[in-house]
Amino acid sequence: GAVVSQHPSWVICKSGTSVKIECRSLDFQATTMFWYRQFPKQSLMLMATSNEGSKATYEQGVEKDKFLINHASLTLSTLTVTSAHPEDSSFYICSALRDGGSQPQHFGDGTRLSIL
Amino acid sequence: QKEVEQDPGPLSVPEGAIVSLNCTYSNSAFQYFMWYRQYSRKGPELLMYTYSSGNKEDGRFTAQVDKSSKYISLFIRDSQPSDSATYLCAMREPGGGADGLTFGKGTHLIIQP
């Protein structure tokens, strides 16, 4: 089945640093990848949609200058949290969509980000 | 505004029982419906994927969609302790899949041995 790999799985860093999270589709090409954020006991909230070779589309309320998304290839999208602060601590999850309108999204295992 | 309602639970049932999980939604444009299982500190795992109204069965899992009532269900037969997890319903409108999913808050399910 489809596999999406996300790295790292857990990050702890000081306030003010930038953190990069990678999302890879391992056995298929993903023209579209999505980034979600999940707070404890809450559902996944879509942050942005990433299309290969073009700028990401951000949901309302998500700062595009703070959450930089790059989708340079059909198998890799990255999310960089710039100048992270404690309120950015969350569980970040990516998903990838296999080319084709009727396909479901497949999710990575998430990255737990803790900002001290 | 898109909205999906799902009882967060926890829902606790004895091993072997039939589990019924449900979601309601308000956006009649939703056409694709999914159920994901999420273990603690893991990403969601796709369980069932259905289009429009109807039933779909896969092993111990059955998904039902009633678009007229804007109501979807997931049934788990012969529940096992390993089924203990959070179950998320998700849905989206047609449009090439380029839209992100709208999720329910998830139901925390506990299967008692």
Side-chain angles (χ1 to χ4, degrees):
Chain A
V3 178
V4 175
S5 174
Q6 195 170 335
H7 177 81
S9 58
W10 194 10
V11 180
I12 302 175
C13 60
K14 294 181 179 180
S15 182
T17 58
S18 294
V19 178
K20 179 184 283 189
I21 303 170
E22 292 186 349
C23 180
R24 294 180 184 273
S25 57
L26 297 184
D27 60 353
F28 65 98
Q29 293 185 329
T31 53
T32 305
M33 289 185 172
F34 303 89
W35 288 96
Y36 294 83
R37 181 167 52 185
Q38 186 179 34
F39 291 105
K41 298 188 178 181
Q42 297 293 316
S43 190
L44 283 77
M45 296 298 295
L46 179 66
M47 298 175 65
T49 302
S50 169
N51 292 294
E52 187 266 338
S54 63
K55 290 184 178 180
T57 302
Y58 290 81
E59 295 299 300
Q60 189 174 7
V62 178
E63 300 175 56
K64 62 180 181 180
D65 294 330
K66 182 168 188 62
F67 299 99
L68 302 179
I69 292 173
N70 183 284
H71 192 162
S73 77
L74 286 171
T75 59
L76 174 64
S77 177
T78 62
L79 168 68
T80 301
V81 184
T82 62
S83 186
H85 292 286
E87 60 266 28
D88 298 322
S89 298
S90 188
F91 192 49
Y92 292 86
I93 309 174
C94 72
S95 72
L97 182 66
R98 192 191 299 261
D99 195 20
S102 62
Q103 300 298 315
Q105 292 181 26
H106 296 273
F107 286 82
D109 266 345
T111 297
R112 185 162 302 280
L113 177 61
S114 297
I115 309 298
L116 304 178
Chain B
Q1 183 178 355
K2 299 177 182 179
E3 185 175 37
V4 177
E5 298 287 341
Q6 185 177 10
D7 186 341
L11 175 62
S12 183
V13 300
E15 182 176 357
I18 296 175
V19 175
S20 174
L21 304 167
N22 311 291
C23 288
T24 59
Y25 62 95
S26 56
N27 184 354
S28 59
F30 287 140
Q31 291 280 1
Y32 294 91
F33 303 91
M34 287 134 275
W35 284 95
Y36 287 88
R37 178 175 61 195
Q38 186 178 25
Y39 292 111
S40 180
R41 301 189 179 188
K42 291 289 187 180
E45 171 193 2
L46 181 67
L47 288 176
M48 300 292 282
Y49 181 60
T50 56
Y51 172 74
S52 195
S53 288
N55 296 351
K56 183 175 183 179
E57 185 175 326
D58 185 359
R60 295 185 296 113
F61 299 93
T62 300
Q64 290 185 352
V65 175
D66 182 349
K67 286 178 70 5
S68 63
S69 302
K70 299 189 180 66
Y71 186 88
I72 69 171
S73 301
L74 177 71
F75 298 96
I76 307 175
R77 292 183 298 280
D78 188 24
S79 56
Q80 306 293 315
S82 59
D83 294 328
S84 299
T86 296
Y87 289 79
L88 299 156
C89 63
M91 47 200 77
R92 68 171 176 86
E93 300 178 15
D99 296 328
L101 299 174
T102 300
F103 283 88
K105 286 191 173 182
T107 298
H108 183 204
L109 175 65
I110 301 170
I111 307 298
Q112 303 165 341

